[in-house]
Amino acid sequence: MEAISNKKSWVRFKEQCTLQAFALAGMLFLFIFSYIPMFGLIMGFKDYKISMGIAGIFTSDWVGAKYFIEFFTDYNFVRIMRNTFALSILKLVFTFPVPILLAVMLNEVGHKTFKKVVQTASYLPYFISWAVVAVLCMTFFSEQTGLVNDVLMKNGLVEEPVNILASSKTFWPLIVFLSIWKETGWWTIIFLAAIAGVDVAQYEAAQVDGANRLQKIWHITLPSIKPTIIVVLILSLGGMIGTGTGGSTFEQCYLLGNPSNIDTSEVIQTYVFEMGLSQGRYAYATAVGLIQSLISVTLVFLSNLIAKRVTGTGIF
């Protein structure tokens, strides 16, 4: 019986060889670029110097939690952690509901051409890199020649040009605004796909019962896409320190951050980049990066646990 079962499995494997090749390629990619680099985490516990070469990662002396303690006692620690969590929470709070709202609104639009135009217009910014967005910001928000300052001055909203890109006070609102503008279209498609799977018979039955649009949205659309909302929320919470629904925090802070707004623009990722690649402190940067990874993993498990207890839905 076992031989027959193995033969059937082999026959099925040969029939699905094309699909198996795609799966194998994905597994190899994950193994090479995600699992093998994990061996580098050992640097965070060693007195490693780049002059030691790759072999030095394993042969250098152990230093225990030296670099972790150094980061926790660094005079920049409070500011970096405050910026990281504040930006992450602001981006999550303001960028997560917008795609859901836009998807529900687009679903209610009856004019197909208008619906496609709005959907395409909201989706296009997703393809623009953050480097290009930074250049556009420097053009539009320039203190001397920027369009935004021209509009504000002509309408009497400000008496003199505002240097938005060099102000600590405007950095967080600017990042949140750019995150909403750039990433909303992408996440809207996911929620539109979930709405497309809702049984039309439910809307027809509600129509017969006299339900209006808001009642159908509240009692049919939103409950039907609740599992998708929960999954996206859990993934967003897990990655909110790095990416989440608001895009890459590192790219935003690195490209738009400068010495004038460093009080609000320096986050863990830019600090790791500065320590690792600019100052060559690879071991210290690895330790700080590991702290961020541990925080993200903890957030994933906590959000999944809370979601399962509250809604009965989780990703594992």
Side-chain angles (χ1 to χ4, degrees), residues 123 129-130:
Y123 186 53
S129 74
W130 280 110

Side-chain angles (χ1 to χ4, degrees), residues 19 21-22 33 36 40 42 57 73 113-114 156 177 211 228 230 248 264 273 283 302 312:
L19 297 176
F22 278 107
F33 294 103
I36 291 181
I42 197 174
I57 296 175
T73 55
T113 304
F114 176 76
F177 167 76
T228 304
I230 296 298
S248 170
T264 52
F273 184 83
L302 275 178

Side-chain angles (χ1 to χ4, degrees), residues 92 232-241 244 295-296 299-300 303-304:
L92 180 68
V232 173
L233 179 61
I234 293 171
L235 294 176
S236 299
L237 284 169
M240 76 174 195
I241 290 181
I295 294 173
S296 297
L299 287 173
V300 169
S303 56
N304 186 69

Side-chain angles (χ1 to χ4, degrees), residues 142-214:
S142 169
E143 185 179 8
Q144 302 301 328
T145 59
L147 175 64
V148 174
N149 269 310
D150 281 346
V151 173
L152 294 176
M153 293 280 290
K154 288 178 180 176
N155 288 280
L157 297 175
V158 294
E159 296 181 354
E160 55 185 20
V162 181
N163 196 350
I164 299 172
L165 297 176
S167 171
S168 297
K169 294 180 180 177
T170 56
F171 185 77
W172 290 355
L174 176 65
I175 293 299
V176 172
F177 167 76
L178 293 175
S179 297
I180 294 174
W181 172 73
K182 189 175 183 301
E183 304 293 329
T184 294
W186 162 256
W187 293 101
T188 299
I189 288 178
I190 294 176
F191 293 117
L192 276 174
I195 292 174
V198 180
D199 189 357
V200 180
Q202 294 185 60
Y203 292 109
E204 295 173 348
Q207 184 73 31
V208 172
D209 292 339
N212 57 34
R213 284 194 170 187
L214 287 178

